[in-house]
């Protein structure tokens, strides 16, 4: 009989991808994914260490799981509990010490060894594996499944060598590593053949991608992200391409040219800036100024005038003055974001900024965050309202809450709700936008309208 596997995912899209691959690695052992932990035979928490709140969730969830594990009926066999992801990587020993109910702890670079970890756990051993192994994790994992949803993630780059002073990622994910281009293209072909129409390329610094070609004629040649996007766009069935998260320092000319030339590359880019103050950017070790960022955005917009932008911001970095915070507000307003994420600075153990003397009071951070979020929300509303009356190509991804409702994405990552009679899931259809809300749009599928190319594009937004 199939065993039940419940995976709970925290953190970034890379964890979402990793969770999918963990499930695939466990399928040959007879595990099938379920939606509830209650009677699961194995529960995995795929965790995030980026901010204090994210990490804290792990131990409270482990408390709940302990109760579930204790309640297992006789004869059901023990519930195996695994902790994966970035908290596991950073605090593996601590988890085993504090949480006796945990059977397996493994990091983002070792989940391909799950079959071995499970075998050890079944023997009653508590297994810890947080190496940074030399072997290619991806080459060891089973092939992608034969059926996937219309939108798929594909990790092409892992780790980070940038060491921003506030950030744990270089410690939890390890050094920057790009998957070989041929391996990425093969996975994209498999995803497209299995039904994916949109592929989002993932990496902590996805535009630092430089995947080698192997083989006799490759001569050590490497492919950057711009070149890789061109090759992906040629794959039959790949109709939309996105990538995240990119770093402003790695936007090279080939990538800008891809935004100009490749219609499959969607006109939406998450390009985190963190702060608008040059002093704070330097203290953060971002290694660019506010004006460098503005110039990068100008180059991208010259190549793709309808490009919509998103960002991450940190407020209340140690020593940030009111004037420096206002520089962030100014930069955000000047760039004009379609959406953005903003966070209070959270001191993370082991990072340089956590040691800084001038930590700001929680109340100052909270007040600045509220002001920045008010501005970002206003900008998002303006952006969404400008879509009213426009016709956009929407890729339908999932059923809505109400019967007959389907939810899809515009080229600009807006979530679009449509009432539809037939089954639109997986379709890319023109939708006339009727109304804008804070976080979504509603629209009507354009019936009998002219056939529209299955891509987003300049001509489609007539706002
Ligand atoms: N690689 C990406 C960021 C990954 S982390 C990049 O370079 O942009 C996602 C976001 O979390 C960051 O962009 C940053 O805004 C936020 N973040 C990271 N560390 C943080 C910390 N210590 N406190 C608050 N926010 C943080
Ligand atoms: Fe963290 Fe900076 Fe690396 Fe992004 S670039 S993952 S913020 S260290
Ligand atoms: Fe979190 Fe790790 Fe992603 S810390 S943001 S899960 S890389």
């Amino acid at each position: 009989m199939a065993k039940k596997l419940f995976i709970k995912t925290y953190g970034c899209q890379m964890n979402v991808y990793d969770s999918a691959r963990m499930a695939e690695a466990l399928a040959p052992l007879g595990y099938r994914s379920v939606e509830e932990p209650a009677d699961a035979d194995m529960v995995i928490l795929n965790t995030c260490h980026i901010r204090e709140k994210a990490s804290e969730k792990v131990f409270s969830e482990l408390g709940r799981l302990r109760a579930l594990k204790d309640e297992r009926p006789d004869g059901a066999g023990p519930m195996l509990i695994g902790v994966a992801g970035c908290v596991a990587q950073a605090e593996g020993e601590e988890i085993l010490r504090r949480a006796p109910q945990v059977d397996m702890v493994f990091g983002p670079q070792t989940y391909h060894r799950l079959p071995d970890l499970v075998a050890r756990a079944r023997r009653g051993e508590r297994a810890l594996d947080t190496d940074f192994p030399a072997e290619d994790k991806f080459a060891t994992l089973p092939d992608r499944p034969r059926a996937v949803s219309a939108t798929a993630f594909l990790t092409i780059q892992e780790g980070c060598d940038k060491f921003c002073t506030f950030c744990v990622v270089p410690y939890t994910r390890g050094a920057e590593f790009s998957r070989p281009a041929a391996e990425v293209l093969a996975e994209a072909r498999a995803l497209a053949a299995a039904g994916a129409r949109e592929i989002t390329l993932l990496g902590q610094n996805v535009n630092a991608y430089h995947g080698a070609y192997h083989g006799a004629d490759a001569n050590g040649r490497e492919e950057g992200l711009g070149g890789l996007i061109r090759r992906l766009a040629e794959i039959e069935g790949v109709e939309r391409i996105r990538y995240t998260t990119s770093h402003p320092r790695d936007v090279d000319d080939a990538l800008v040219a891809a935004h100009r030339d490749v219609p499959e590359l969607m006109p939406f880019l998450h390009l985190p800036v963190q702060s608008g103050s040059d002093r704070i950017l330097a203290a953060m070790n971002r290694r660019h100024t506010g004006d460098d960022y503005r110039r990068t955005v100008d180059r991208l917009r010259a190549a793709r005038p309808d490009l919509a932008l998103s960002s991450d911001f940190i407020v209340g970095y140690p020593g940030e003055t009111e004037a420096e915070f206002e520089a962030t507000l100014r930069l955000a307003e000047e760039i004009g974001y379609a959406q953005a994420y903003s966070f209070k600075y959270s001191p993370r153990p082991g990072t340089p900024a956590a040691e800084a003397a001038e930590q700001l009071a929680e109340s100052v951070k909270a007040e600045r965050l509220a002001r920045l979020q008010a501005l970002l929300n206003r900008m998002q509303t303006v952006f969404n309202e400008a879509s009213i009356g426009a016709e956009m190509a929407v890729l339908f991804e999932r059923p809505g809450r109400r019967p007959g409702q389907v939810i899809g994405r515009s080229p600009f990552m807006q979530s679009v709700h449509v009432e539809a009679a037939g089954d639109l899931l997986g379709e890319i259809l023109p939708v006339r936008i009727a109304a804008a809300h804070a976080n979504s749009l509603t629209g009507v599928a354009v019936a009998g309208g002219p056939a529209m190319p299955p891509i987003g594009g300049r001509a489609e937004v007539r706002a």
Side-chain angles (χ1 to χ4, degrees), residues 5 7 21-31 42 44 114-115 118:
L5 167 69
I7 304 185
R21 306 252 21 204
M22 285 174 206
E24 290 160 24
L26 289 166
L29 308 188
Y31 287 95
M42 186 187 300
I44 295 177
L114 260 169
V118 173

Side-chain angles (χ1 to χ4, degrees), residues 10-15 47-50 86 168-169 172-173 204:
Y10 304 85
C12 63
Q13 289 109 322
M14 297 189 69
N15 266 9
T47 62
C48 175
H49 201 240
I50 201 80
C86 291
V168 293
V169 170
T172 62
R173 293 261 165 183
Q204 272 308 342

Side-chain angles (χ1 to χ4, degrees), residues 50-51 166 204 272 274 286 312 314 343-344 346 348:
I50 201 80
R51 285 169 291 274
F166 51 81
Q204 272 308 342
Q274 315 297 354
R286 294 290 291 180
D312 292 337
I314 295 178
F343 311 101
K344 287 187 278 195
S346 168
R348 304 306 291 128

Side-chain angles (χ1 to χ4, degrees), residues 238-394:
V238 174
E239 287 160 23
R240 289 180 161 198
I241 301 169
R242 304 180 187 275
Y243 61 91
T244 198
T245 295
S246 46
H247 194 287
R249 274 180 62 90
D250 295 322
V251 180
D252 64 10
D253 290 340
L255 184 56
V256 174
H259 279 280
R260 182 190 62 216
D261 300 336
V262 181
E264 288 84 355
L265 182 56
M266 290 291 99
F268 175 88
L269 179 57
H270 182 63
L271 190 64
V273 67
Q274 315 297 354
S275 169
S277 150
D278 289 348
R279 193 189 73 85
I280 295 293
L281 285 168
M284 289 175 162
N285 191 32
R286 294 290 291 180
R287 293 184 293 155
H288 63 79
T289 63
D291 281 348
D292 293 336
Y293 182 88
R294 289 179 179 89
R295 273 191 294 273
T296 298
V297 168
D298 287 346
R299 282 162 62 221
L300 286 159
R301 281 182 167 154
R304 184 80 208 228
D306 63 345
L307 187 76
L309 284 156
S310 151
S311 180
D312 292 337
F313 294 93
I314 295 178
V315 303
Y317 184 83
E320 183 190 68
T321 64
E322 170 64 22
E324 286 164 344
F325 169 66
E326 282 168 13
T328 299
L329 292 176
R330 261 197 315 280
L331 181 134
E333 191 140 29
E334 269 172 55
I335 298 288
Y337 289 101
Q339 62 164 72
Y341 302 91
S342 46
F343 311 101
K344 287 187 278 195
Y345 169 70
S346 168
R348 304 306 291 128
T351 60
E355 308 298 320
E358 329 100 295
Q359 302 290 333
L360 299 194
E362 191 56 29
S363 57
V364 175
K365 295 188 211 176
E367 191 262 347
R368 287 182 189 168
L369 185 68
R371 280 156 71 200
L372 177 58
Q373 288 188 337
L375 170 65
L376 295 172
N377 290 342
R378 270 203 307 282
M379 284 197 280
Q380 184 169 351
T381 302
V382 168
F383 182 79
N384 282 347
E385 284 178 350
S387 307
I388 296 173
E391 214 174 89
M392 294 192 209
V394 172

Side-chain angles (χ1 to χ4, degrees), residues 184-214:
V184 169
L185 291 167
E187 189 171 331
R189 269 184 231 108
L191 289 169
R197 305 189 74 183
E198 174 179 295
I199 292 185
T200 301
L201 305 175
L202 300 180
Q204 272 308 342
N205 280 295
V206 72
N207 55 336
Y209 178 80
H210 54 94
Y213 282 105
H214 294 309

